[in-house]
Amino acid sequence: QVQLVESGGGLVQAGDSLTLSCAASGRTFIMMSLAWFRQAPGKEREFVATIRWSGGGISIADSVKGRFTISRDIAKNTVVLQMNNLRAEDTAVYYCAAGYPGGTYYSSGSWAYWGQGTQVTVSS
């Protein structure tokens, strides 16, 4: 019903910036909320940021607040995660999600659709 494809990951140095994109398609994604999660090796999947397709309902995790922003590009049907001042601890696979999470948007189990993930590696 909804397809999500992440892109933009790569290897960067600490302090650098990187932009991730999530291309969304399907009949109903415009009605949904979208989010970014990340998962480092041996760690649980962690909430990063969320946004409604309308542009409202923005929430950003404390661990990245002030460095990361989330937005959507209506013309391209994409959700964008702009990551600035990257740190080694930001290294993870970053996943795009979509659904109707309600009040538990910070929990990975609340999201119905997932992309394949894109690797972000920050060296220092």
Side-chain angles (χ1 to χ4, degrees):
Q1 187 175 6
V2 175
Q3 296 81 46
L4 305 169
V5 180
E6 302 95 332
S7 62
L11 173 63
V12 298
Q13 306 246 60
D16 285 353
S17 295
L18 200 61
T19 303
L20 304 184
S21 295
C22 172
S25 61
R27 187 175 179 271
T28 60
F29 81 88
I30 295 173
M31 304 290 292
M32 297 181 179
S33 295
L34 297 103
W36 289 94
F37 284 74
R38 66 187 184 184
Q39 189 164 21
K43 306 294 184 182
E44 311 251 320
R45 192 165 295 190
E46 174 190 23
F47 170 76
V48 177
T50 189
I51 190 171
R52 300 191 187 104
W53 187 250
S54 66
I58 292 175
S59 183
I60 301 174
D62 289 342
S63 59
V64 302
K65 193 171 294 181
R67 299 188 297 119
F68 292 10
T69 59
I70 189 169
S71 61
R72 81 275 187 271
D73 186 329
I74 295 172
K76 295 182 179 179
N77 286 350
T78 59
V79 177
V80 175
L81 185 69
Q82 178 64 49
M83 305 185 294
N84 299 317
N85 193 24
L86 284 160
R87 305 167 180 168
E89 54 263 41
D90 296 318
T91 295
V93 177
Y94 283 70
Y95 296 91
C96 184
Y100 305 99
T104 56
Y105 59 86
Y106 50 83
S107 174
S108 62
S110 298
W111 297 85
Y113 302 98
W114 293 88
Q116 84 289 346
T118 186
Q119 176 72 48
V120 173
T121 302
V122 184
S123 63
S124 62

